[in-house]
Amino acid sequence: MNFKKKYIVIGLSFFLKYNSHAQEKNNPISIKTNVDSTKSIILEEVKITAKKIAAIETEKPSRKKHYSFLTKAPTQIGMIFNEEQIVGKKLNYISIYFDKKYTQFYTFQILLYTVGNDSLPSKLINKRELAFSANHEGWNKFPIQINDLIIPKEGIAVVVNFFDKSNMATGETDRIAMGKYIEKRRFFVRPTSQNNWIIFNSFQEGRIGPMIRLSVDE
């Protein structure tokens, strides 16, 4: 009798253990859910960051050290930008290559114009003054913090205005470096805002011009 009871107890124990494994196998979702909920307590905080807006930049010219363009302050020098990839985009930065380091008191002004039928600056776009100071030799990046400044379909004329103050002895301005572009560029100058523009397009078939670049939001 005791012998039969022992086997009954062993058999019952085996049945309960087997039944427990069967329930786990037949109901894996509930087990997995319990495990996942435990892990979720110790998960590190997930940080969601805004996607960075891509930028499009115009051509970067190569430096031509043996090319110079001398003017006397006050003077304005500029170039037309009408590349298809920047039209209709928001202007973000203007980069200018200066050929030397300047003092902290050296300032100049950037003027932005629409492009007229004669492919010259027409109407002033920026309603507030954009005055900057260059701080080192090479490329200097200047933010254009005007929210509604979109490149018109005809393009945009970027003009750098040098004030009459840089060199009292000779009147010569501190120049923008000249570079060589892959595509033809036409730049222009004038002594003051009261004069007509003088167009230059003869330097190496129009591929030499002031080193200026634009950056727009994609």
Side-chain angles (χ1 to χ4, degrees):
M1 185 69 178
N2 292 335
F3 181 76
K4 289 183 178 181
K5 286 183 178 180
K6 184 185 291 186
Y7 272 92
I8 291 172
V9 171
I10 293 173
L12 182 60
S13 175
F14 177 80
F15 172 79
L16 292 175
K17 185 175 182 180
Y18 174 83
N19 190 45
S20 175
H21 282 297
Q23 287 181 359
E24 291 180 7
K25 184 176 181 180
N26 293 330
N27 191 20
I29 296 178
S30 60
I31 301 300
K32 185 176 181 181
T33 302
N34 291 337
V35 173
D36 286 349
S37 64
T38 303
K39 286 185 177 180
S40 66
I41 297 174
I42 59 174
L43 284 177
E44 294 184 0
E45 181 183 358
V46 178
K47 295 182 179 179
I48 301 174
T49 57
K51 184 179 180 181
K52 186 177 181 181
I53 299 175
I56 297 175
E57 293 184 325
T58 57
E59 182 185 346
K60 184 178 183 180
S62 57
R63 178 79 170 95
K64 300 293 287 184
K65 292 186 178 181
H66 58 285
Y67 278 85
S68 294
F69 190 80
L70 304 178
T71 58
K72 290 184 178 181
T75 190
Q76 297 180 348
I77 182 169
M79 195 160 57
I80 299 290
F81 293 87
N82 56 4
E83 292 89 332
E84 183 179 350
Q85 64 267 27
I86 69 170
V87 170
K89 305 291 195 306
K90 179 183 178 297
L91 181 59
N92 196 6
Y93 290 95
I94 292 178
S95 297
I96 302 174
Y97 193 111
F98 289 98
D99 56 5
K100 73 174 187 177
K101 185 176 180 179
Y102 300 93
T103 68
Q104 60 179 334
F105 303 107
Y106 178 85
T107 58
F108 63 93
Q109 189 178 23
I110 291 178
L111 304 172
L112 304 171
Y113 291 88
T114 59
V115 179
N117 295 330
D118 54 359
S119 296
L120 287 173
S122 177
K123 182 181 179 181
L124 187 65
I125 297 176
N126 53 300
K127 297 177 181 178
R128 63 183 179 85
E129 186 176 276
L130 297 173
F132 299 97
S133 176
N135 53 21
H136 61 267
E137 179 182 352
W139 287 105
N140 289 258
K141 191 182 240 185
F142 305 101
I144 306 301
Q145 298 176 338
I146 303 177
N147 294 329
D148 57 349
L149 207 162
I150 305 298
I151 307 292
K153 62 179 181 178
E154 297 83 9
I156 191 170
V158 176
V159 176
V160 181
N161 180 39
F162 293 104
F163 300 109
D164 187 11
K165 50 121 185 63
S166 57
N167 192 322
M168 301 304 292
T170 65
E172 182 180 293
T173 65
D174 297 310
R175 302 180 304 275
I176 298 175
M178 302 295 285
K180 186 174 183 179
Y181 293 83
I182 297 175
E183 298 182 355
K184 186 175 181 178
R185 315 294 300 197
R186 184 174 72 164
F187 71 96
F188 38 82
V189 297
R190 63 181 178 181
T192 68
S193 60
Q194 304 302 318
N195 297 87
N196 294 326
W197 293 105
I198 302 171
I199 304 168
F200 292 85
N201 55 9
S202 59
F203 290 95
Q204 291 197 359
E205 299 179 348
R207 296 170 61 191
I208 299 294
M211 298 180 71
I212 303 174
R213 301 183 73 194
L214 304 189
S215 175
V216 300
D217 287 342
E218 173 62 71

